[in-house]
Amino acid sequence: MAEQIYNLSQLEELAGGNTEFVDSMVDTFLEHTPGQLEEILQAFKISDLATVGAVAHKIKPNIELFGINTIKQDIRVVEEKGKQGVTDAELETSLKRVELHLKEAFNQLQQR
């Protein structure tokens, strides 16, 4: 995944040219979201699907705000399947994609 996985245009528009705000939001995202991703992965390992759904719900707005469009649908699948208590191949596939793309986004945002 060499191409840029995120798009800050929505965040930049929201910031109205305030680059400090954008930097602060990126810092906050990098501070909290890796832990939330880890929380989802750990909850999935112990079949705590309610937590999987709840934490995916918390992450979803950030995925949209940071323009990580490759996993917009996947995070919705993780949220819904978690809330419904359904473990299936679709959940596992979406969860793997969310993990892969978020980790790449973390790396790219740290280096921007």
Side-chain angles (χ1 to χ4, degrees), residues 18-85:
N18 183 340
T19 57
E20 288 177 11
F21 176 77
V22 172
D23 291 343
S24 172
M25 291 295 288
V26 169
D27 290 345
T28 300
F29 178 77
L30 290 172
E31 185 179 328
H32 296 285
T33 313
Q36 291 172 320
L37 174 61
E38 195 54 39
E39 189 177 353
I40 289 174
L41 297 173
Q42 292 304 317
F44 181 74
K45 280 183 185 170
I46 61 169
S47 298
D48 179 359
L49 296 179
T51 297
V52 169
V55 179
H57 178 76
K58 287 185 207 173
I59 291 177
K60 187 173 62 175
N62 285 328
I63 286 173
E64 294 184 12
L65 182 62
F66 282 81
I68 308 170
N69 297 326
T70 53
I71 55 171
K72 273 175 119 173
Q73 189 56 41
D74 290 306
I75 196 66
R76 286 185 175 92
V77 168
V78 172
E79 177 188 13
E80 289 305 312
K81 298 268 184 186
K83 287 180 175 179
Q84 296 165 2

Coordinates of all heavy atoms in Angstrom, one line a residue, residues 18-85:
N18 N -7.3 26.4 9.4 CA -6.6 26.4 10.6 C -5.8 25.1 10.7 O -6.2 24.1 11.1 CB -7.6 26.5 11.8 CG -6.9 26.5 13.2 OD1 -5.7 26.2 13.3 ND2 -7.6 26.9 14.2
T19 N -4.5 25.2 10.3 CA -3.6 24.0 10.3 C -3.3 23.5 11.6 O -3.1 22.3 11.8 CB -2.3 24.3 9.5 OG1 -1.7 25.4 10.2 CG2 -2.5 24.7 8.1
E20 N -3.3 24.3 12.7 CA -3.1 23.8 14.0 C -4.3 22.9 14.4 O -4.1 21.9 15.1 CB -3.0 25.0 15.0 CG -1.7 25.8 14.9 CD -1.6 27.0 15.8 OE1 -2.5 27.1 16.7 OE2 -0.7 27.8 15.6
F21 N -5.5 23.2 14.0 CA -6.6 22.4 14.3 C -6.5 21.0 13.6 O -6.7 20.0 14.3 CB -7.9 23.1 13.9 CG -9.2 22.2 14.1 CD1 -9.7 22.0 15.3 CD2 -9.8 21.6 13.0 CE1 -10.9 21.2 15.5 CE2 -10.9 20.8 13.1 CZ -11.4 20.6 14.4
V22 N -6.1 21.1 12.4 CA -5.9 19.8 11.6 C -4.8 19.0 12.3 O -5.0 17.8 12.6 CB -5.5 20.1 10.1 CG1 -5.1 18.8 9.4 CG2 -6.6 20.8 9.4
D23 N -3.7 19.6 12.7 CA -2.6 18.9 13.4 C -3.1 18.3 14.7 O -2.8 17.1 15.0 CB -1.4 19.8 13.6 CG -0.7 20.2 12.3 OD1 -0.9 19.5 11.3 OD2 0.1 21.1 12.3
S24 N -3.9 19.1 15.4 CA -4.4 18.6 16.7 C -5.3 17.4 16.5 O -5.3 16.4 17.3 CB -5.2 19.7 17.4 OG -5.8 19.3 18.5
M25 N -6.2 17.4 15.5 CA -7.1 16.3 15.2 C -6.3 15.1 14.8 O -6.6 14.0 15.2 CB -8.1 16.7 14.1 CG -9.1 17.8 14.5 SD -10.2 17.2 15.8 CE -11.2 16.0 14.9
V26 N -5.3 15.3 14.0 CA -4.4 14.1 13.6 C -3.8 13.5 14.8 O -3.8 12.3 15.0 CB -3.4 14.5 12.5 CG1 -2.4 13.4 12.3 CG2 -4.1 14.9 11.2
D27 N -3.2 14.4 15.7 CA -2.6 13.9 16.9 C -3.5 13.1 17.8 O -3.2 12.1 18.3 CB -2.0 15.1 17.7 CG -0.8 15.7 17.0 OD1 -0.2 15.0 16.1 OD2 -0.4 16.8 17.4
T28 N -4.8 13.6 17.9 CA -5.8 13.0 18.7 C -6.2 11.6 18.1 O -6.3 10.6 18.8 CB -7.0 13.9 18.9 OG1 -6.6 15.1 19.5 CG2 -8.1 13.2 19.7
F29 N -6.3 11.6 16.8 CA -6.6 10.4 16.1 C -5.5 9.3 16.4 O -5.8 8.2 16.7 CB -6.7 10.6 14.6 CG -7.0 9.4 13.7 CD1 -8.3 8.8 13.7 CD2 -6.0 8.9 13.0 CE1 -8.5 7.7 12.9 CE2 -6.2 7.8 12.2 CZ -7.5 7.2 12.1
L30 N -4.3 9.7 16.2 CA -3.1 8.8 16.4 C -3.0 8.4 17.9 O -2.4 7.4 18.2 CB -1.8 9.4 15.9 CG -1.8 9.6 14.4 CD1 -0.5 10.4 14.0 CD2 -1.8 8.2 13.7
E31 N -3.4 9.2 18.8 CA -3.3 8.9 20.2 C -4.4 7.9 20.7 O -4.1 7.0 21.5 CB -3.5 10.2 21.0 CG -3.3 10.1 22.5 CD -3.5 11.4 23.2 OE1 -3.2 12.5 22.7 OE2 -4.0 11.4 24.4
H32 N -5.6 8.0 20.1 CA -6.7 7.2 20.6 C -7.1 6.0 19.7 O -7.4 4.9 20.2 CB -8.0 8.0 20.8 CG -7.8 9.1 21.8 ND1 -7.8 8.8 23.2 CD2 -7.6 10.4 21.7 CE1 -7.6 9.9 23.9 NE2 -7.5 10.9 23.0
T33 N -7.0 6.2 18.4 CA -7.5 5.1 17.5 C -6.7 3.8 17.5 O -7.3 2.7 17.5 CB -7.7 5.7 16.1 OG1 -8.4 7.0 16.2 CG2 -8.5 4.8 15.2
P34 N -5.4 3.8 17.6 CA -4.7 2.5 17.7 C -5.2 1.7 18.9 O -5.3 0.5 18.8 CB -3.2 2.9 17.8 CG -3.1 4.3 17.1 CD -4.4 5.0 17.5
G35 N -5.4 2.3 20.0 CA -5.9 1.6 21.2 C -7.3 1.1 21.0 O -7.6 0.0 21.4
Q36 N -8.1 1.8 20.3 CA -9.5 1.4 20.0 C -9.4 0.2 19.0 O -10.2 -0.7 19.2 CB -10.3 2.5 19.4 CG -10.6 3.6 20.4 CD -11.2 4.8 19.8 OE1 -10.9 5.3 18.7 NE2 -12.2 5.4 20.5
L37 N -8.6 0.3 18.0 CA -8.4 -0.9 17.1 C -8.0 -2.1 17.9 O -8.5 -3.2 17.7 CB -7.4 -0.5 16.0 CG -7.0 -1.7 15.1 CD1 -8.3 -2.2 14.3 CD2 -5.9 -1.3 14.1
E38 N -7.0 -1.9 18.8 CA -6.6 -3.1 19.6 C -7.7 -3.6 20.5 O -7.8 -4.8 20.6 CB -5.4 -2.7 20.4 CG -4.6 -3.8 21.0 CD -4.1 -4.8 20.0 OE1 -3.7 -4.5 18.9 OE2 -4.2 -6.0 20.3
E39 N -8.5 -2.7 21.0 CA -9.7 -3.1 21.8 C -10.6 -4.0 21.0 O -11.1 -5.0 21.5 CB -10.4 -1.9 22.3 CG -11.4 -2.2 23.4 CD -12.1 -0.9 23.9 OE1 -11.6 0.2 23.6 OE2 -13.1 -1.1 24.7
I40 N -10.9 -3.6 19.7 CA -11.8 -4.4 18.9 C -11.2 -5.8 18.6 O -11.8 -6.8 18.7 CB -12.0 -3.7 17.5 CG1 -12.9 -2.4 17.7 CG2 -12.6 -4.6 16.5 CD1 -13.0 -1.6 16.4
L41 N -9.9 -5.8 18.3 CA -9.2 -7.1 18.0 C -9.2 -8.0 19.2 O -9.5 -9.2 19.0 CB -7.8 -6.8 17.5 CG -7.7 -6.0 16.2 CD1 -6.2 -5.7 15.9 CD2 -8.3 -6.8 15.0
Q42 N -8.9 -7.5 20.4 CA -8.9 -8.3 21.6 C -10.4 -8.8 21.9 O -10.6 -9.9 22.3 CB -8.4 -7.5 22.8 CG -6.9 -7.2 22.7 CD -6.0 -8.5 22.4 OE1 -6.3 -9.5 23.1 NE2 -5.1 -8.4 21.5
A43 N -11.3 -7.9 21.7 CA -12.7 -8.3 22.0 C -13.2 -9.4 21.0 O -13.9 -10.3 21.4 CB -13.6 -7.1 21.9
F44 N -12.7 -9.3 19.8 CA -13.1 -10.3 18.8 C -12.5 -11.7 19.2 O -13.1 -12.7 19.1 CB -12.6 -9.9 17.4 CG -13.0 -10.9 16.3 CD1 -14.3 -11.0 15.9 CD2 -12.0 -11.7 15.8 CE1 -14.6 -12.0 14.9 CE2 -12.3 -12.6 14.8 CZ -13.6 -12.8 14.4
K45 N -11.2 -11.6 19.7 CA -10.6 -12.9 20.0 C -11.3 -13.6 21.1 O -11.3 -14.8 21.2 CB -9.1 -12.6 20.5 CG -8.2 -12.4 19.4 CD -6.8 -12.2 20.0 CE -5.8 -11.9 18.9 NZ -4.5 -11.5 19.4
I46 N -12.0 -12.9 22.0 CA -12.7 -13.5 23.1 C -14.2 -13.6 22.9 O -15.0 -13.8 23.8 CB -12.4 -12.9 24.5 CG1 -12.8 -11.4 24.5 CG2 -10.9 -13.0 24.9 CD1 -12.8 -10.7 25.9
S47 N -14.6 -13.3 21.6 CA -16.0 -13.3 21.2 C -16.9 -12.4 21.9 O -18.0 -12.6 22.2 CB -16.5 -14.8 21.3 OG -15.8 -15.6 20.5
D48 N -16.3 -11.2 22.3 CA -17.1 -10.2 23.0 C -17.6 -9.2 21.8 O -17.1 -8.1 21.6 CB -16.2 -9.4 24.0 CG -17.0 -8.3 24.7 OD1 -18.2 -8.0 24.3 OD2 -16.3 -7.6 25.5
L49 N -18.6 -9.7 21.1 CA -19.0 -9.0 19.9 C -19.7 -7.7 20.3 O -19.7 -6.7 19.5 CB -20.0 -9.9 19.1 CG -19.3 -11.1 18.5 CD1 -20.3 -12.0 17.8 CD2 -18.1 -10.8 17.7
A50 N -20.3 -7.6 21.4 CA -20.9 -6.3 21.8 C -19.9 -5.2 21.9 O -20.1 -4.1 21.4 CB -21.6 -6.4 23.2
T51 N -18.7 -5.5 22.4 CA -17.6 -4.5 22.5 C -17.1 -4.2 21.1 O -16.8 -3.1 20.7 CB -16.5 -5.0 23.4 OG1 -17.0 -5.2 24.7 CG2 -15.3 -4.1 23.4
V52 N -17.0 -5.3 20.3 CA -16.5 -5.1 18.9 C -17.4 -4.0 18.2 O -17.0 -3.1 17.6 CB -16.6 -6.4 18.1 CG1 -16.4 -6.2 16.6 CG2 -15.5 -7.4 18.6
G53 N -18.7 -4.2 18.3 CA -19.7 -3.3 17.7 C -19.6 -1.9 18.3 O -19.7 -0.9 17.5
A54 N -19.5 -1.8 19.6 CA -19.5 -0.5 20.3 C -18.3 0.3 19.9 O -18.4 1.5 19.6 CB -19.6 -0.7 21.8
V55 N -17.1 -0.4 19.9 CA -15.9 0.4 19.6 C -15.8 0.7 18.1 O -15.4 1.8 17.7 CB -14.6 -0.4 20.1 CG1 -13.4 0.4 19.8 CG2 -14.7 -0.7 21.6
A56 N -16.3 -0.2 17.3 CA -16.4 0.1 15.8 C -17.3 1.4 15.6 O -16.9 2.2 14.8 CB -16.9 -1.0 15.0
H57 N -18.3 1.5 16.4 CA -19.2 2.7 16.3 C -18.5 3.9 16.6 O -18.7 5.0 16.0 CB -20.4 2.5 17.2 CG -21.4 3.6 17.2 ND1 -22.2 3.9 16.2 CD2 -21.5 4.6 18.1 CE1 -22.9 5.0 16.5 NE2 -22.5 5.4 17.6
K58 N -17.6 3.9 17.6 CA -16.8 5.0 18.0 C -15.7 5.4 17.0 O -15.5 6.6 16.8 CB -16.0 4.7 19.3 CG -16.8 4.7 20.6 CD -15.9 4.5 21.8 CE -16.6 3.8 22.9 NZ -15.6 3.5 24.0
I59 N -15.2 4.4 16.3 CA -14.1 4.7 15.3 C -14.7 5.2 14.0 O -14.1 6.0 13.3 CB -13.3 3.4 15.0 CG1 -12.5 3.1 16.2 CG2 -12.4 3.6 13.8 CD1 -11.7 1.8 16.1
K60 N -15.9 4.8 13.6 CA -16.5 5.0 12.3 C -16.5 6.5 11.9 O -16.1 6.8 10.8 CB -18.0 4.5 12.3 CG -18.6 4.6 11.0 CD -20.0 3.9 10.9 CE -20.9 4.5 11.9 NZ -22.2 4.0 11.9
P61 N -16.9 7.5 12.8 CA -16.8 8.9 12.3 C -15.4 9.3 12.0 O -15.2 10.1 11.1 CB -17.3 9.7 13.6 CG -18.1 8.7 14.4 CD -17.4 7.3 14.1
N62 N -14.4 8.8 12.7 CA -13.0 9.2 12.4 C -12.6 8.7 11.0 O -11.8 9.3 10.3 CB -12.1 8.8 13.5 CG -12.2 9.6 14.7 OD1 -12.4 10.8 14.6 ND2 -11.9 9.1 15.9
I63 N -13.0 7.5 10.7 CA -12.6 6.9 9.4 C -13.2 7.7 8.3 O -12.5 8.0 7.3 CB -13.1 5.4 9.3 CG1 -12.2 4.5 10.2 CG2 -13.2 4.9 7.9 CD1 -12.7 3.1 10.4
E64 N -14.4 8.2 8.5 CA -15.0 9.1 7.5 C -14.4 10.5 7.5 O -14.1 11.0 6.4 CB -16.5 9.2 7.8 CG -17.2 7.8 7.6 CD -18.7 7.9 7.7 OE1 -19.3 8.9 7.7 OE2 -19.3 6.8 7.7
L65 N -14.1 11.0 8.6 CA -13.5 12.4 8.7 C -12.1 12.4 8.1 O -11.7 13.3 7.4 CB -13.4 12.9 10.2 CG -12.8 14.3 10.4 CD1 -13.7 15.3 9.7 CD2 -12.8 14.5 11.9
F66 N -11.4 11.3 8.3 CA -10.0 11.2 7.8 C -9.9 10.6 6.4 O -8.9 10.4 5.8 CB -9.1 10.4 8.7 CG -8.7 11.2 9.9 CD1 -9.5 11.4 11.0 CD2 -7.4 11.8 9.9 CE1 -9.1 12.1 12.1 CE2 -7.0 12.6 11.0 CZ -7.9 12.7 12.1
G67 N -11.1 10.4 5.8 CA -11.2 10.0 4.4 C -10.5 8.7 4.1 O -9.9 8.5 3.0
I68 N -10.6 7.8 5.0 CA -10.1 6.4 4.8 C -11.2 5.6 4.1 O -11.8 4.7 4.7 CB -9.6 5.8 6.1 CG1 -8.6 6.8 6.9 CG2 -8.8 4.5 5.8 CD1 -8.3 6.3 8.3
N69 N -11.4 5.9 2.9 CA -12.6 5.4 2.2 C -12.6 4.0 1.9 O -13.6 3.3 1.6 CB -12.8 6.3 0.9 CG -13.1 7.7 1.2 OD1 -13.7 8.0 2.2 ND2 -12.7 8.6 0.4
T70 N -11.4 3.4 1.8 CA -11.2 2.0 1.5 C -11.9 1.1 2.5 O -12.2 -0.1 2.2 CB -9.8 1.6 1.4 OG1 -9.1 1.9 2.6 CG2 -9.1 2.2 0.2
I71 N -12.2 1.6 3.7 CA -12.8 0.7 4.7 C -14.1 1.3 5.3 O -14.5 0.8 6.4 CB -11.8 0.4 5.9 CG1 -11.2 1.7 6.5 CG2 -10.7 -0.5 5.4 CD1 -10.4 1.5 7.8
K72 N -14.7 2.3 4.6 CA -15.9 2.9 5.1 C -17.0 1.8 5.3 O -17.7 1.7 6.3 CB -16.4 3.9 4.2 CG -15.9 5.3 4.5 CD -16.3 6.3 3.4 CE -17.1 7.4 4.0 NZ -17.4 8.4 2.9
Q73 N -17.1 0.9 4.3 CA -18.1 -0.1 4.4 C -17.7 -1.2 5.3 O -18.5 -1.7 6.1 CB -18.4 -0.7 3.0 CG -19.5 -1.7 2.9 CD -20.8 -1.1 3.4 OE1 -21.1 0.1 3.1 NE2 -21.6 -1.8 4.1
D74 N -16.4 -1.5 5.4 CA -16.0 -2.6 6.3 C -16.2 -2.2 7.8 O -16.6 -3.1 8.6 CB -14.5 -2.8 6.1 CG -14.2 -3.5 4.8 OD1 -14.8 -4.5 4.5 OD2 -13.3 -3.0 4.0
I75 N -16.0 -0.9 8.2 CA -16.2 -0.6 9.6 C -17.7 -0.7 9.9 O -18.1 -1.0 11.0 CB -15.6 0.8 9.9 CG1 -15.5 1.0 11.4 CG2 -16.4 1.9 9.3 CD1 -14.6 0.1 12.1
R76 N -18.6 -0.4 8.9 CA -20.0 -0.5 9.1 C -20.4 -2.0 9.4 O -21.2 -2.3 10.2 CB -20.8 0.0 7.9 CG -20.8 1.5 7.9 CD -21.7 2.1 6.8 NE -21.8 3.5 6.8 CZ -21.0 4.3 6.2 NH1 -20.0 3.8 5.4 NH2 -21.1 5.6 6.3
V77 N -19.8 -2.9 8.6 CA -20.0 -4.3 8.7 C -19.6 -4.8 10.1 O -20.3 -5.5 10.8 CB -19.2 -5.1 7.6 CG1 -19.2 -6.6 7.9 CG2 -19.9 -4.9 6.3
V78 N -18.4 -4.4 10.5 CA -17.9 -4.7 11.9 C -18.8 -4.2 13.0 O -19.2 -5.0 13.9 CB -16.4 -4.2 12.1 CG1 -16.0 -4.4 13.5 CG2 -15.4 -4.8 11.1
E79 N -19.3 -3.0 12.8 CA -20.2 -2.4 13.8 C -21.5 -3.2 13.9 O -21.9 -3.6 14.9 CB -20.5 -1.0 13.4 CG -21.5 -0.3 14.4 CD -22.0 1.1 14.0 OE1 -21.7 1.5 12.8 OE2 -22.6 1.7 14.8
E80 N -22.1 -3.4 12.7 CA -23.4 -4.1 12.7 C -23.3 -5.6 13.1 O -24.2 -6.0 13.9 CB -24.0 -4.0 11.2 CG -24.5 -2.6 10.9 CD -25.5 -2.1 11.9 OE1 -26.4 -2.7 12.3 OE2 -25.3 -0.9 12.3
K81 N -22.3 -6.3 12.6 CA -22.2 -7.7 13.0 C -21.9 -7.8 14.5 O -22.4 -8.7 15.1 CB -21.1 -8.4 12.2 CG -21.4 -8.4 10.7 CD -22.1 -9.6 10.2 CE -22.2 -9.7 8.7 NZ -23.0 -10.8 8.3
G82 N -21.1 -6.9 15.0 CA -20.8 -6.9 16.4 C -22.1 -6.7 17.2 O -22.4 -7.4 18.2
K83 N -22.8 -5.7 16.8 CA -24.1 -5.3 17.6 C -25.1 -6.5 17.5 O -25.8 -6.7 18.4 CB -24.7 -4.1 17.0 CG -23.9 -2.8 17.4 CD -24.6 -1.6 16.9 CE -23.9 -0.3 17.4 NZ -24.5 0.9 16.9
Q84 N -25.1 -7.2 16.3 CA -26.0 -8.3 16.2 C -25.5 -9.6 16.8 O -26.2 -10.6 16.9 CB -26.3 -8.5 14.7 CG -27.0 -7.4 14.0 CD -26.9 -7.5 12.5 OE1 -26.4 -8.4 11.9 NE2 -27.4 -6.5 11.8
G85 N -24.2 -9.6 17.2 CA -23.6 -10.8 17.7 C -23.4 -11.9 16.7 O -23.5 -13.1 17.0

